């Protein structure tokens, strides 16, 4: 302890006060503490850069805090009970599930939980074979590739869509065995739509307890989808005109109101931007009035680029 009550080195200052403390917001505590910690992990900075996902970020921060305390306990010779980090991600397409899974892989590597932290993303066709015994072999091969990292199974509910005689059951049995045998080398994330994932977990009584962490990925509100559109444009050195931004808002509102229950969120926005970029190219190349192409002309996406079929 230095002068004026300040700490030196890596010591932690603990102050005891007798007066009653004013109630504080738990979220603010987590947020401020994590901002102090995120210098230790580039994964957290990457997470923070994502638009929205406030509840997802909060739970990831809690996981990070938990892992930090486990490291400190280990350094002090304290016992840490075994803990499973397998997860279930529920939500519509384009809500950031794969992106967050990739960030978690990096985070677990930073914290020493996983050796590599890489992401192996698969679906039913990658796991389920065509004859008895084939599925177990395919699943084990995928698991072997994922060791040291994260195995992300998208649309995991499709593994039970064929009933009792479907080979997907063989995949689940093989996977459950690996959850125990390889728990120090592998984290498995199951992902899919909300209702379908609830049904999937209810089909096998051994699954819910083996996936203790559950994250809900809600649809993005319109304002955040506009922010995502701006970000996607900026990444490719484009920008939206005011008229284009107004039209995008109108199209998104219409899609959310009239579309299906499985709105594709950021994926829908990305497809919209990529199509507009192609239409902008056609507009500029075919416009007989264009004599000289300026930098701004090459960068600007106009409303008409989003209106063309």
């Amino acid at each position: 302890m230095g002068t004026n009550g300040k700490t030196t080195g890596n010591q932690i200052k603990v102050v005891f006060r007798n007066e009653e403390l004013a109630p504080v917001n738990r979220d603010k505590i987590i947020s401020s503490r994590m901002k102090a910690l995120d210098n230790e992990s580039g994964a957290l900075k990457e997470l923070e850069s994502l638009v929205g996902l406030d509840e997802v970020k909060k739970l990831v921060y809690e996981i990070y805090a938990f892992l930090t305390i486990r490291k400190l306990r280990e350094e002090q010779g304290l016992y840490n009970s075994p803990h499973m980090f397998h997860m279930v991600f529920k939500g519509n397409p384009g809500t950031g599930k794969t992106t967050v899974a990739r960030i978690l892989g990096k985070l677990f590597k930073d914290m020493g939980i996983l050796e590599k932290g890489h992401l192996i993303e698969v679906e039913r066709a990658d796991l389920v074979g065509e004859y008895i015994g084939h599925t177990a072999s395919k699943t084990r091969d995928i698991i072997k590739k994922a060791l040291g990292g994260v195995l992300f199974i998208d649309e995991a509910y499709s593994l039970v869509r064929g009933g009792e005689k479907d080979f997907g059951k063989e995949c689940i049995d093989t996977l459950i065995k690996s959850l125990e045998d390889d728990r120090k080398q592998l984290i498995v994330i199951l992902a899919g739509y909300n209702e379908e994932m609830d049904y999937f977990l209810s089909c096998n009584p051994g699954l819910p307890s083996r996936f203790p962490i559950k994250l809900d990925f809600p649809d993005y509100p319109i304002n955040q989808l506009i922010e995502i559109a701006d970000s996607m444009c900026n990444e490719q050195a484009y920008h939206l005109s005011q008229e284009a931004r107004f039209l995008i808002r109108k199209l998104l509102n219409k899609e959310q109101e009239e579309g299906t229950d499985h709105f594709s969120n950021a994926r829908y926005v990305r497809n919209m931007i990529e199509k507009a970029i192609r239409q902008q190219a056609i507009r500029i190349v075919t416009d007989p009035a264009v004599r000289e192409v300026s930098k701004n002309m090459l960068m600007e996406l106009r409303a008409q680029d989003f209106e063309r079929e």
Side-chain angles (χ1 to χ4, degrees):
M1 181 75 71
T3 58
N4 300 323
K6 294 183 178 179
T7 58
T8 59
N10 294 322
Q11 295 174 331
I12 300 175
K13 179 181 178 182
V14 180
V15 179
F16 294 94
R17 301 183 186 275
N18 291 326
E19 65 266 24
E20 184 177 347
L21 295 176
V24 291
N25 185 287
R26 176 173 173 273
D27 294 349
K28 288 183 179 179
I29 293 176
I30 294 173
S31 177
S32 62
R33 178 59 179 152
M34 289 308 113
K35 285 179 180 178
L37 290 173
D38 71 2
N39 289 330
E40 302 174 18
S41 174
L44 284 187
K45 292 181 180 179
E46 189 175 346
L47 177 71
E48 194 60 40
S49 70
L50 299 179
V51 174
L53 300 176
D54 292 343
E55 292 301 313
V56 173
K57 290 175 181 177
K58 189 193 306 181
L59 197 145
V60 174
Y61 288 152
E62 290 177 359
I63 292 173
Y64 183 44
F66 174 69
L67 294 175
T68 300
I69 294 302
R70 284 177 70 89
K71 283 183 67 175
L72 293 173
R73 286 175 59 87
E74 184 178 333
E75 291 170 5
Q76 296 296 327
L78 297 172
Y79 171 72
N80 284 322
S81 61
H83 195 88
M84 299 185 91
F85 294 101
H86 306 306
M87 308 179 192
V88 174
F89 286 3
K90 297 191 294 182
N92 281 336
T95 48
K97 296 188 293 297
T98 306
T99 300
V100 171
R102 187 173 291 109
I103 291 173
L104 279 168
K106 296 176 184 177
L107 178 63
F108 283 118
K109 180 181 183 295
D110 291 344
M111 302 302 293
I113 302 298
L114 294 174
E115 181 182 355
K116 300 176 183 177
H118 63 299
L119 180 77
I120 298 294
E121 182 180 0
V122 297
E123 54 188 21
R124 176 186 166 92
D126 302 304
L127 298 166
V128 178
E130 300 175 356
Y131 50 85
I132 296 175
H134 188 206
T135 294
S137 176
K138 287 186 71 173
T139 303
R140 282 194 293 267
D141 287 344
I142 291 293
I143 290 171
K144 186 176 180 180
K145 292 179 182 178
L147 290 180
V150 175
L151 175 58
F152 182 84
I153 305 178
D154 198 15
E155 298 184 3
Y157 51 81
S158 64
L159 295 174
V160 295
R161 69 184 180 193
E164 279 295 316
K165 296 183 179 180
D166 184 69
F167 292 136
K169 185 177 182 300
E170 187 179 357
C171 170
I172 296 172
D173 292 340
T174 305
L175 185 65
I176 287 177
K177 185 177 186 303
S178 178
L179 295 179
E180 297 292 341
D181 296 347
D182 302 311
R183 64 182 179 185
K184 292 184 179 180
Q185 305 179 71
L186 178 69
I187 290 175
V188 178
I189 298 177
L190 306 178
Y193 300 125
N194 288 287
E195 297 81 4
E196 286 87 342
M197 289 304 297
D198 288 338
Y199 171 75
F200 170 64
L201 293 172
S202 70
C203 288
N204 190 309
L207 284 175
S209 62
R210 289 178 169 86
F211 289 86
I213 302 173
K214 297 176 178 60
L215 282 173
D216 290 316
F217 288 73
D219 287 343
Y220 288 102
I222 298 297
N223 286 342
Q224 290 182 357
L225 288 172
I226 297 293
E227 189 176 344
I228 289 171
D230 282 328
S231 176
M232 290 177 177
C233 288
N234 291 336
E235 287 174 2
Q236 302 180 69
Y238 288 92
H239 65 259
L240 299 169
S241 70
Q242 286 300 109
E243 293 79 9
R245 186 174 283 103
F246 177 81
L247 178 60
I248 289 174
R249 182 180 295 274
K250 181 180 177 182
L251 292 172
L252 289 171
N253 273 311
K254 181 179 180 181
E255 182 67 21
Q256 284 195 344
E257 291 172 3
E258 301 178 5
T260 66
D261 293 335
H262 298 323
F263 173 56
S264 59
N265 289 275
R267 192 177 301 171
Y268 178 88
V269 173
R270 180 173 296 281
N271 291 339
M272 184 189 297
I273 296 296
E274 289 178 351
K275 182 179 178 183
I277 289 173
R278 296 193 298 270
Q279 294 298 336
Q280 183 235 41
I282 294 173
R283 170 172 59 80
I284 294 174
V285 169
T286 60
D287 188 350
V290 174
R291 294 288 183 266
E292 184 176 345
V293 180
S294 67
K295 182 178 180 180
N296 184 67
M297 190 182 297
L298 292 170
M299 295 177 65
E300 184 180 53
L301 297 179
R302 301 178 181 177
Q304 65 198 94
D305 300 324
F306 292 89
E307 291 173 335
R308 295 186 182 185
E309 293 297 330

